Amino acid sequence: MIDWNRVLELCEEVGAEDFDEVVDLFLDEVQEVISRLQDHPDPTQLEADFHFLKGSALNLGFDAFAALCEAGESKASAGNDAGGDLPNVLTCYASSREVFLKDLPQKLAPPAA
């Protein structure tokens, strides 16, 4: 569900002092799109929304979520109804977010001596 190697890589790239800010920004921006998709999905925006969510997910290691977004983006790009994918995408994001926030502190903790 979460690519923890990617998470650790991102932490190294941005530095530990900026990592929390990057995570907060990611979660805020993604939640904005997720909320819009839950409340008022716009079929004409689905391809762009899935593309944005996929890129954000890949940056922070949300692999399962990214894969669902990629599938939705491909469907929308081909002119197929991707709206049917929304329940799975929304559920996967919620699960991924929960696991990420729960396990992140232990994943970032220095190894025990």
Side-chain angles (χ1 to χ4, degrees):
M1 179 170 284
I2 305 292
D3 178 354
W4 290 108
N5 288 327
R6 174 62 192 133
V7 174
L8 296 174
E9 183 180 281
L10 178 63
C11 187
E12 283 184 24
E13 288 172 5
V14 300
E17 63 281 350
D18 292 329
F19 182 71
D20 287 344
E21 185 178 329
V22 169
V23 169
D24 289 343
L25 182 63
F26 163 81
L27 294 175
D28 287 347
E29 288 181 349
V30 169
Q31 188 58 51
E32 185 178 312
V33 175
I34 291 292
S35 294
R36 188 175 69 243
L37 289 173
Q38 287 173 320
D39 298 338
H40 305 292
D42 179 352
T44 65
Q45 276 296 117
L46 280 180
E47 182 179 356
D49 287 340
F50 281 133
H51 179 78
F52 169 78
L53 292 172
K54 176 188 73 176
S56 296
L58 289 172
N59 281 328
L60 201 57
F62 282 44
D63 281 357
F65 178 57
L68 289 175
C69 291
E70 182 173 22
E73 179 185 11
S74 293
K75 268 187 172 178
S77 174
N80 298 322
D81 177 24
D85 294 344
L86 278 178
N88 289 335
V89 169
L90 299 174
T91 299
C92 184
Y93 174 69
S95 299
S96 298
R97 184 180 187 278
E98 181 179 332
V99 167
F100 179 82
L101 292 174
K102 180 178 77 66
D103 293 347
L104 183 62
Q106 109 184 32
K107 298 292 184 180
L108 294 180

